Amino acid sequence: MSFEVLLFGPYADAAGARSVSVEAGEDGAVRAGALLAAIGEQVPALRPLLGGARLAVNNRFAESDDEVNASDEIALVGLVGGG
Amino acid sequence: MSVQVLIERGALAPMPSHGWPGAGAVLCFEGVIRPEEGDRRIDAIEYEVYRPMAERVLESLARQAKEAHGLLAVRVWHSEGRVPVGACSFRLEVASAHRAEGLAAMGWFIDAMKRDAPIWKRICEADSPQRAAP
């Protein structure tokens, strides 16, 4: 199943795109931790930047065991610099 | 409104503080763009904001700060887009009965924001804008 992950900041710069499509899970769902691992496996440009990264699902941080559906809004959040 | 979050394009305009009933302390922190980032001279910082989540996160943190520290009110402003050197990109206003809880809440909020808010910054040097090192 294909999951679209929104990218911002250094992630977007590294990937050269505002989002990436990642194949993961079965039956349209995957655990957040597994999806994050899949991003590292399938998008080499992002691999060095994933330490400390978290997935946001529908504008909330997801725990590793949280279920993520392909229809959710998913974003890679980390390396932030607000304030 | 005792908790308010505003994300605005560009530099934040100066605002007077509200008079919060019961407040013995109204504290305001403003983050201002410095002319150097590390050893580099810069012109500005550009903020990229994942807006729907940033608003949610900042409001959540503000409510947590208000509840945990017994505050009367919290207001948060953050810039989106380009902010030049010398201008304000972040403002936190806290009203409390006494200064101790306000000061503690400010420190907590800013640390939490820097950890969790989906806001990224790009350093704008005179000739080559580049992403700030994390």
Side-chain angles (χ1 to χ4, degrees), chain B residues 12-133:
Chain B
L12 303 179
M15 287 187 64
S17 292
H18 284 202
W20 298 102
V26 180
L27 307 176
C28 183
F29 173 91
E30 292 195 336
V32 177
I33 307 300
R34 293 189 299 267
E36 298 92 18
E37 185 76 14
D39 59 357
R40 295 171 290 171
R41 297 284 298 181
I42 70 171
D43 288 337
I45 290 179
E46 286 186 358
Y47 290 96
E48 182 177 5
V49 181
Y50 180 25
R51 187 181 272 253
M53 184 177 178
E55 290 172 342
R56 180 192 289 270
V57 168
L58 291 173
E59 179 165 348
S60 174
L61 293 177
R63 292 193 182 282
Q64 289 178 56
K66 183 174 181 291
E67 293 303 314
H69 296 276
L71 307 176
L72 298 172
V74 180
R75 295 201 297 170
V76 182
W77 292 257
H78 202 292
S79 291
E80 180 178 23
R82 184 182 175 93
V83 182
V85 165
C88 177
S89 62
F90 167 66
R91 180 181 298 123
L92 174 64
E93 183 179 84
V94 167
S96 55
H98 306 283
R99 71 180 184 280
E101 57 267 34
L103 289 167
M106 283 200 136
W108 179 88
F109 182 95
I110 293 171
D111 287 343
M113 176 191 66
K114 286 183 172 293
R115 182 190 66 226
D116 291 342
I119 300 172
W120 293 264
K121 63 182 185 182
R122 179 188 296 274
I123 305 303
C124 299
E125 298 184 57
D127 298 319
S128 56
Q130 62 187 96
R131 182 70 58 188

